[in-house]
Amino acid sequence: MKRYYALIIGLLAAASWQTSAQSHNDPASLKQEERDAYNAARLANTIDAWEIFMNNYPDSYYREQARKNRDAATVAHYCNAATTLDQLVAYIDDVSAQEPRIRLFYANLVNNPTHSYRYEHMDVGFNGCTGVVNEHIEWADKKQRPRDNRFTFNAQGLLTESSITGSNGKPVVRQYTYAYDNLHGYSLRSESSGSKTVQYAPFFDSADKLQTLKGNDQSTFTYTYGDYGVLTKLVHNNGKATRTLLYRDGYIIREETGGKAFRYLYDFDSATGKKYLIAIRELGQGTTVAHERTFDYKVDTHGRITTVKVSQDGVLQMTITRTYQR
C-alpha cells in the first residue's frame, strides 16, 4: 500500500511537466489534468499529496478545498495516540504551525501533571524526556545515605513508573496509567503504589482545554489559561494542603504553599533553546529573601540535565547525576 501511495505522489509531482505540448494548448485537457491530479491527491489523502497538488496548481478551482483537506490530513497525522512527543514538539516549534487543533492536543498533553515537561523531582524538571531516567543523589555532608531513583516516561513524555528512594533507603514505586480520546488526547487515569490506587477523571472547558483533574481521594488539579490557551496557573489540592503554581511561557515563576511564597528564576541556554531553573527564592517580608536554593547544571547535546549541584543559602547541599536510556 505504501508503494502504491508513493507512486501516486510521484505522478502528482510529475503532472506539471508530463503533459504533451498539445494538452498545454487545450483548456479542456488542462482541466481534466487538474481534476485527475486532484482525485489522485484525494485518494492518497496525505499532507505531501495535498502540498504537491497545491504547488503544481496554484490557481486551481480546487485549491481552497485542497487546503482544507491538507489541514485535515495534518490534524489526522498529529492528533492520534501514536504521535510521539518529539513529533509534536517539532511541529509546535515550527513558527508556521498555526493549526489550533494540534496546539490544543499538545497543550492538553504537556499540562498533565506527570508529563516530563512539567514533572519535577528535587526541584529539577525533566525538560521533555522520554524513555528511562536514572538519578543518583549524593549529599554533601555525607549525613544521609546516597539515593537512587528511576523514572520511566513513554513516547509521549508521560510518566509511567517512578521509583523514589526515601531517607530510610527503601524505594517507593508508583505506576501511572492514562486515558485517551481523539478530541483531547491523553489524561491521567490512575496512580498506584502498593495496594493503594487513586483514580482520576478529567474535565474540560468549553474550548476543550483540560480544566480540572479530580481524584477519588479528593485531590484536584485545577488549570487557568491566558491568551492563546497558554497555562498561567495550576492549583493542586491533595485533600490536606494546597499548592499554587504560577506560569509564564510554560515555566513556573511563583509557588505558594504552606503559607510560604517562592520565586523561580531561570537562565536561557541559546545552545539548547531551553530555560533552566537556577534559583528558588523563599520570600520573606516585603521584597526580602528568607532563603535561596540554587542550581548549577551540566547538560548534554539534547539539552538534558546530566549533573546539577544544589546549594542552600550558598552551601552545597547535594549533587544529582542523571543518565538516560531510550
Side-chain angles (χ1 to χ4, degrees), residues 181-192:
D181 70 67
N182 289 329
L183 178 60
H184 305 106
Y186 292 91
S187 61
L188 182 63
R189 172 185 288 166
S190 70
E191 175 184 346
S192 301

Side-chain angles (χ1 to χ4, degrees), residues 9-17 33-34 37 48-60 63:
I9 293 173
L11 291 172
L12 281 169
S16 62
W17 58 268
E33 173 192 299
E34 182 182 321
D48 287 343
W50 290 117
E51 289 284 1
I52 290 170
F53 174 80
M54 290 188 292
N55 287 335
N56 287 342
Y57 301 93
D59 301 318
S60 172
R63 182 173 178 80

Side-chain angles (χ1 to χ4, degrees), residues 111-119 153 157-159 176 178 188:
N111 289 334
N112 267 276
T114 56
H115 194 278
S116 58
Y117 181 64
R118 305 285 184 205
Y119 190 79
F153 296 98
L158 296 166
L159 185 68
Y176 304 84
Y178 300 87
L188 182 63

